Each structure stands twice: as structure tokens, then as C-alpha cells.
Amino acid sequence: MDCPKCKSGKKIKNGIIKGVQRYKCKSCGYNYTVERRSYDYPFSTKKKALQLYLEGLGFRSIGRILGVSNVTVLNWVKSFGEEVAKLQSETQDIEFVEVDEMHSYIGYKKNYCWIWIAVDRFGKRFINFVVGDRSTETAKKFWEEIKDYKMNTIASDYWKPYEAIIPKSKHVQSKAETFTVEGYNSLFRHFLARMRRKSKCYSKSMKMLELSILLLMHKRNNTLSILN
């Protein structure tokens, strides 16, 4: 890399800064470093970044701790999210499923979006999710993601779209029966910085929001092999 100040190619090594080689320009005396590429870092560093992210830290905070750029951390988390499998439907019966939706925001204008979530009450695990608006159309997409699970009873609140997707024979509408999923909703607020209502972290893209939710669900279900 040429000197970023005078563009001279004449340089000498001048120490190590945060594990990165520093150079000194022989023409103008300017000190500079060549930033390491994201794939040059060991897997242990990338894994640590993911662990910190799923404990509630934002990309910039993780970058400061690990001595890397926030964009590098974003790329690592995105890569991990793209590598993990979708949540799989179970062959055995699920006795009691609770469904609910929670709001978040997305994009630079922080537009509202809704996350539809299903949890297994007695199995204490996430089942699946969909991100969209709060319409019946999104509710139908949500049902497509969970309908193949063998669910005996499905509890929801009184939001109208649930009546359009859940079979009446299995449907229980009562706020008193959605306590598990409401508690699970709080996990997103606590363990994902982008989900906190008063945080400066927020999702710039739908893709990163979905990957973040998927990673956290796998972690809470103990199915995230990357961290095992």
C-alpha cells in the first residue's frame, strides 16, 4: 500500500499497533497502517464477536473491544447468520404453542416493522418467526412457516389476523395464555442491541434483522453449533 498522504511507495516497517503492522513513509515521514482484511482474522476472534453480539453489544462496541472495524464485525455476524440452518419443524407433537407479535423499526427513517413469533410453552424453545407488517397477509406468511409443526393447541391474543390463520379447533384466544411468548419477546430486547427501544443501534436492512433473530433463536434453543 502506498502512503495515503503523499502516495509514495517508499516505506519502512515501524512497529505493530493493535496487532497490525505500521509503516513509515520514507518520503514524508507519515505513519500509517494497512487494515487487515476480515478473513485474515482467526476464527476465535470471529466467534468472540458473535458471542458479544448475542450478549447485547452493538457492532461498534464489539469493534472497539476486539480492535477491528464495526463493518468487519457486521460482515462476520452476517456470514454466521447465512451459514446457520433455518429452524426445523419437529416430528413429535407440540402440546402448547404460543404466538405473538412485537414491534421494531428498520431503515434510516426507522420505519415500524413487526416480528411474529411462535414458542413451545413446555419445550421452552423458539419455533419460528416472520418479519413484516401487522396485516393478515403477513399472518399468512407466518402460518406457512409454522403450519408443518404438529401443534395440538395454539394460543394468541385477540389480534384479528390470528382468526384467519389458526384452525378454530386448536385456537385459544386469551392474553392470559400468552405469558411464555411475551417473556421470550423480552429476550430480544435484552440480548440484541438493535431491538432496544431507546438504543442508537437499529437495523438498516430487513436481512440483518432476520439473521440476528435467527442467530439468537438458535442460541437460546442450544442449536447454534458455532458456539458449542
Side-chain angles (χ1 to χ4, degrees), residues 100-102 117 126 180-189:
D100 195 20
E101 70 285 349
M102 64 181 294
I117 300 165
F126 289 103
T180 305
V181 69
E182 289 172 2
Y184 273 48
N185 285 347
S186 67
L187 294 175
F188 293 105
R189 304 289 187 199

Side-chain angles (χ1 to χ4, degrees), residues 141-156:
K141 293 178 181 177
F142 177 54
W143 182 249
E144 286 297 314
E145 292 295 326
I146 67 173
K147 69 178 184 180
D148 292 334
Y149 291 84
K150 296 182 178 180
M151 302 173 287
N152 294 331
T153 303
I154 307 170
S156 76

Side-chain angles (χ1 to χ4, degrees), residues 47-64:
K47 179 179 176 180
K48 177 61 68 175
L50 179 61
Q51 288 174 317
L52 293 172
Y53 182 68
L54 296 179
E55 289 294 333
L57 274 69
F59 293 144
R60 294 184 186 279
S61 297
I62 298 169
R64 288 193 292 270

Side-chain angles (χ1 to χ4, degrees), residues 171-200:
H171 196 188
V172 175
Q173 284 187 289
S174 171
K175 286 291 291 183
E177 295 292 350
T178 58
F179 57 88
T180 305
V181 69
E182 289 172 2
Y184 273 48
N185 285 347
S186 67
L187 294 175
F188 293 105
R189 304 289 187 199
H190 185 77
F191 289 107
L192 288 178
R194 66 183 58 234
M195 295 291 292
R196 293 177 197 144
R197 291 184 177 91
K198 296 183 179 181
S199 173
K200 292 184 178 180

Side-chain angles (χ1 to χ4, degrees), residues 74-136:
L74 182 153
N75 289 334
W76 289 344
V77 172
K78 182 179 179 181
S79 179
F80 282 130
E82 290 173 341
E83 289 174 5
V84 299
K86 289 185 176 181
L87 297 167
Q88 299 297 314
S89 59
E90 296 289 328
T91 56
Q92 71 267 26
D93 291 351
I94 303 176
E95 183 63 31
F96 208 104
V97 174
E98 298 178 28
V99 296
D100 195 20
E101 70 285 349
M102 64 181 294
H103 83 270
S104 184
Y105 40 82
I106 195 167
Y108 291 99
K109 293 185 178 180
K110 294 190 176 181
N111 298 316
Y112 259 51
C113 67
W114 292 85
I115 305 163
W116 299 64
I117 300 165
V119 302
D120 177 354
R121 176 189 288 185
F122 301 123
K124 300 298 181 183
R125 65 188 179 89
F126 289 103
I127 294 176
N128 223 318
F129 74 98
V130 157
V131 180
D133 57 20
R134 219 180 175 199
S135 66
T136 300

